[in-house]
Structure formats: C-alpha cells, structure tokens
Amino acid sequence: MLFHLRPRLAAVVAPVALAAPTIAFAVFSARAGQPGAAVGVVAGALTVFAFAPYGLWPLQLLALTTLFLLTLQAPTTRAAMQLGWAFAFAAIGTGTHWLYISLHHFGGLPAALTVLAIALLAACLALLYAMAIGAAVRLARRARSDTLAALIT
C-alpha cells in the first residue's frame, strides 16, 4: 500500500522505510559498546543518497572514507570484518529499496517476506565486503603499512 503513492514520494519513502532495520542495528551496536559499527551502519545507509534521483555523490566518498578509517582503527581483523559487513548490509539494504516495489507490488509477495528477502540478499552480499576488508586488513597488518591498506581497500 505504501508504494502506490506517486513515484517521487515513493523514491523518498522506500529507502527510509527499508532503513528501519539498519537504524535498529546501529542503535543495538552503539549500546553493545561498538560505536564504530553504528557509525559504519549510518555511513553505509547514507550511500543510497549518492545515486539518482538524489545525486549527492560526495556522500559516497565520505562513506567509503569513513569505512576505511574505521577499519584502520579496528583492534582485530574480525572487528574490521564486522565493520565491513555492517557497512555493506546498510548500503546494500537501502540501495536495493527498488526491489521492494518489484517484489511486493508487481510480484505479489507479502510485505514481510519482501523485507526478509531483501535483508537476506543484503546480508549475503555483505559477506563479500567483509571478506575483502578482512583480507585487506590482514595483509596490511602483516606488511605494517597503512598505504598498502589504502591501495587494497
């Protein structure tokens, strides 16, 4: 029902509606004593506004810079991988908001299953970010070089 609105309004409402689980994750991370994960989640969620129809492209650079700086400060490789996963889950989850319209409106999938399907897709694709960041952090720490980390990431 929400996406039977005008297309322009749906373009604004869809990412915000799908960002609700992301915001909940950020709040949970901050309360669990991992404020870096919360910042990573928010940075990832903001990447959706770097693309059309919003066109705020500097947000993408700011978000990736934030991710890079957070991973450099991560105490362990596992913590860096968790940051990468949280960032990517938020970025992919909000960036694929258009799938909600396709699956629910045109495909007839119930709303709860649609959100679950998009969340599972985002969670699985976020594993790629986590593995790449984990490998970059491990290689950079072995070489003891932040420059290498910048080139790899």
Side-chain angles (χ1 to χ4, degrees), residues 94-116:
T94 57
T96 56
H97 66 275
W98 56 272
L99 283 175
Y100 183 90
I101 298 167
S102 298
L103 293 171
H104 180 64
H105 183 66
F106 296 110
L109 195 64
L113 284 177
T114 303
V115 171
L116 179 65

Side-chain angles (χ1 to χ4, degrees), residues 81 84-93 96 115-132:
M81 290 176 72
W85 185 88
F87 175 89
F89 178 75
I92 295 168
T96 56
V115 171
L116 179 65
I118 294 170
L120 286 173
L121 174 69
C124 290
L125 290 176
L127 289 173
L128 296 172
Y129 276 65
M131 289 187 291

